[in-house]
Amino acid sequence: MLENDLKFLEESFKQYYFDHFDLIHVPERSQEREYGYKKFNSGMIRHISLKTDKDLHLMLMTNLPSDVFCSNGYYSFPNLPMAEKDWKEADLIFDIDAKDLNLSCRKDHTCMKCSSCAEISSMHDTCPKCKSNKLDLISLPCQNCISGVKKEILNLMKILTDDLQIDSESIRTTFSGNEGFHVYVSNSSYNQLGSNERRDLIDYIKFQSAIPERFGFNKKNNPSRSSFPDLGDPGWSGRVAKELFGSKSKRSKVITKVIADGKVAYQQKLEAMKDSIGVKIDSNVTSDIHRIFRLEGSLNSKSSLVKLVCEDIEKFNPYTEACLIDDQPVEISANSPIKFRLKNTNFGPYTDEKISVPKYAATYMICKGLASVSNA
């Protein structure tokens, strides 16, 4: 990152933290958690212990971090190396990102930046300027992306409350500050699960490893009509029945066809149900009991948007509610082939243009690698 851009982002982030201390708090059981931070153009600093909001605010103003993190795990000694921390338990956290949904709109708001010459262009196999194939993809997610993630979250919430019997009061949803959302489960019996047990839970939520023997066929390949699931069954069985039959009146006819098509075809049909029954969570995130997650109220250096709690996920609009950098005019050189919308204002596309935009749009584009502060 250029020196002028680095200084601009550091000052912009510092001003945000000064203006919005009311949004930034140490979470419950703070003394048992590990904290960490990154600075622009540098690596992670972690194994930090913080006890109060005052300690956290001092760390923010002293170090000018690009990103701030807090562990999902609880430890006896959070400031010691990992092997010596003495793990107790960890919040159960799910990460759902727009990039993992394979939405058709993604190609319309993704461009590429050449790692060799920094040329920005629409999608090609190689850089149109220097022909390098070292390309970084840059995406500016749209409202359709956010809607897709919200749909996954609502499906996840239903599984957590209906199937796993988790109290809705123990579930909290936050916008990650970039392309997705995090769903937290705290104060539940699932918090004691280790990584292996969490992987079993992941299989259940993603509808992985489903086999015909679980849903009607037996090992001898001699299915009984009564062994197929009913629409009123709990858990996987009920969801498979709803997806397979559609309605109770169609159940008998569909079962006849499933039996006639055979076990292999049924296995393929079950595999295809992952997209409709399973939730597209990031398995690595949920299984990691030592992970440090972006702190609520902090800025995401990939976008300059805030990681924010969503009180009403269906109404939440991250491009207004989580866009909290001020609107002071800033002169930038912008090269963004993608248009985007922040705070109900449209921006772009820009082709190597010197323009004046509100600071929140300038920080967003600079964080995405699509603009630089203009030289005086």
Side-chain angles (χ1 to χ4, degrees), residues 243-254:
E243 185 71 17
L244 191 61
F245 308 134
S247 66
K248 191 174 182 179
S249 61
K250 296 179 181 178
R251 182 175 182 273
S252 179
K253 183 178 180 180
V254 173

Side-chain angles (χ1 to χ4, degrees), residues 46-58:
R46 55 184 300 180
H47 309 299
I48 298 170
S49 179
L50 299 173
K51 297 179 180 179
T52 67
D53 285 356
K54 185 176 180 180
D55 295 333
L56 172 59
H57 295 165
L58 179 62

Side-chain angles (χ1 to χ4, degrees), residues 263-327:
K263 190 174 182 178
V264 173
Y266 193 29
Q267 176 71 67
Q268 294 171 345
K269 192 178 288 289
L270 292 172
E271 285 285 334
M273 288 185 189
K274 285 181 184 177
D275 288 337
S276 53
I277 293 178
V279 182
K280 297 178 180 66
I281 59 174
D282 185 326
S283 301
N284 293 327
V285 169
T286 301
S287 63
D288 192 343
I289 59 175
H290 298 292
R291 200 177 189 93
I292 54 176
F293 287 82
R294 195 172 304 281
L295 185 71
E296 291 172 15
S298 69
L299 293 169
N300 191 320
S301 67
K302 297 177 182 178
S303 67
S304 77
L305 301 179
V306 182
K307 178 167 182 177
L308 209 58
V309 175
C310 309
E311 299 298 339
D312 186 335
I313 184 64
E314 294 188 79
K315 294 181 180 179
F316 181 78
N317 182 349
Y319 301 118
T320 55
E321 296 178 56
C323 186
L324 298 181
I325 298 288
D326 67 66
D327 59 0

Side-chain angles (χ1 to χ4, degrees), residues 65-105:
S66 62
D67 303 273
V68 186
F69 304 93
C70 177
S71 68
N72 65 330
Y74 301 90
Y75 306 96
S76 298
F77 311 104
N79 59 325
L80 293 183
M82 192 60 69
E84 303 172 34
K85 287 183 185 295
D86 184 26
W87 183 86
K88 298 178 179 180
E89 60 177 290
D91 294 333
L92 187 62
I93 303 183
F94 304 95
D95 179 21
I96 303 176
D97 256 15
K99 63 180 172 53
D100 298 323
L101 302 187
N102 299 317
L103 298 173
S104 60
C105 62

Side-chain angles (χ1 to χ4, degrees), residues 114-180:
C114 179
S115 300
S116 300
C117 72
E119 176 75 4
I120 297 170
S121 65
S122 55
M123 300 299 291
H124 297 89
D125 292 332
T126 60
C127 173
K129 184 176 181 180
C130 72
K131 306 305 178 183
S132 170
N133 59 2
K134 297 179 180 179
L135 308 170
D136 295 322
L137 298 183
I138 301 174
S139 180
L140 308 186
C142 67
Q143 284 294 346
N144 185 60
C145 294
I146 299 302
S147 296
V149 177
K150 287 180 178 181
K151 181 180 177 181
E152 296 294 315
I153 289 173
L154 294 173
N155 290 339
L156 173 62
M157 295 283 285
K158 187 170 179 60
I159 293 174
L160 296 179
T161 54
D162 291 358
D163 295 12
L164 305 183
Q165 300 298 300
I166 295 174
D167 190 332
S168 60
E169 295 296 317
S170 297
I171 304 172
R172 184 174 76 260
T173 302
T174 64
F175 171 60
S176 72
N178 192 29
E179 295 205 38

